[in-house]
Amino acid sequence: MFGLKKSEKTASGETPEQTQERLDAEVSGAKKGPTPKRKDQVAARQRPLVSADRAQAKVSDRQRRAAEQEKIRIGMATGQEQYLLPRDRGPQRRFARNFVDRRTCLAEWFFPIVIVFFIVSIGFSGLLGIQGQAVATIAMYVVFLLVAIDMFITSRMLKRAILAKFGAPERGVIWYGTFRSMQMRFMRQPKAQVKRGESID
């Protein structure tokens, strides 16, 4: 009457039989070690928010940034609008690039000619003599004049083409295209997207 039935549970949630078995196991030494502290149990269940392997995290981050930079580089080279610098964006500037890239301009050979001139005038000054140096200097001035004429013609033709297609040209777009004509084709950024002589829209 005053005792607990075997099927009833104690306040701890165990039946009397389960309680007795647990006590017997503790007394007999069946318990393998001390009960872990609460803070140790909590720490075991928690997962770190930051990777414990910092070296691997740095390598992964470096690879991710390298992939993003390569994507941007390819996008800029191929003229994808979202990757271009502000100076290269817009339909008029794209048209100016294509207009210049389809032409063969004397101006793009200006810098190589200047480099050759200085190498010859400095390295072979003794062989050329005074008269030879004078001839080389005159030839260099002739090249300057021809390049200036070529750039003027390019700017006039580009302006007419933009007026016909877009109306009034945007500020700086004519100089943008004209200056591009002074760069050698393989050095231009964004890269040329049309072949020489190819028609453009």
Side-chain angles (χ1 to χ4, degrees), residues 72-91:
I72 293 172
R73 186 190 67 80
I74 294 175
M76 291 180 64
T78 55
Q80 298 180 38
E81 194 75 12
Q82 65 270 32
Y83 297 112
L84 295 179
L85 297 174
R87 68 178 185 186
D88 298 317
R89 293 177 184 170

Side-chain angles (χ1 to χ4, degrees), residues 74-132:
I74 294 175
M76 291 180 64
T78 55
Q80 298 180 38
E81 194 75 12
Q82 65 270 32
Y83 297 112
L84 295 179
L85 297 174
R87 68 178 185 186
D88 298 317
R89 293 177 184 170
Q92 288 197 22
R93 292 176 185 267
R94 179 181 295 275
F95 180 83
R97 291 196 300 271
N98 293 339
F99 181 88
V100 170
D101 293 339
R102 67 181 294 272
R103 299 182 69 246
T104 300
C105 301
L106 175 63
E108 69 180 283
W109 299 102
F110 172 70
F111 289 111
I113 291 173
V114 170
I115 293 173
V116 171
F117 168 75
F118 279 113
I119 291 175
V120 171
S121 61
I122 295 174
F124 300 93
S125 58
L127 297 176
L128 292 176
I130 297 177
Q131 291 183 349

Side-chain angles (χ1 to χ4, degrees), residues 173-192:
V173 69
I174 304 301
W175 172 243
Y176 172 81
T178 304
F179 180 77
R180 184 178 176 86
S181 70
M182 294 185 65
Q183 300 171 322
M184 299 198 71
R185 187 178 177 89
F186 72 92
M187 297 178 64
R188 294 171 182 173
Q189 289 290 341
K191 298 292 185 183

Side-chain angles (χ1 to χ4, degrees), residues 121-166:
S121 61
I122 295 174
F124 300 93
S125 58
L127 297 176
L128 292 176
I130 297 177
Q131 291 183 349
Q133 290 182 4
V135 171
T137 302
I138 293 172
M140 196 68 250
Y141 281 122
V142 171
V143 170
F144 286 156
L145 179 61
L146 292 176
V147 167
I149 293 172
D150 181 69
M151 293 180 66
F152 177 79
I153 293 173
T154 298
S155 65
R156 295 298 93 190
M157 293 176 63
L158 176 59
K159 185 174 182 179
R160 285 199 298 269
I162 290 179
L163 283 171
K165 185 174 179 62
F166 299 99

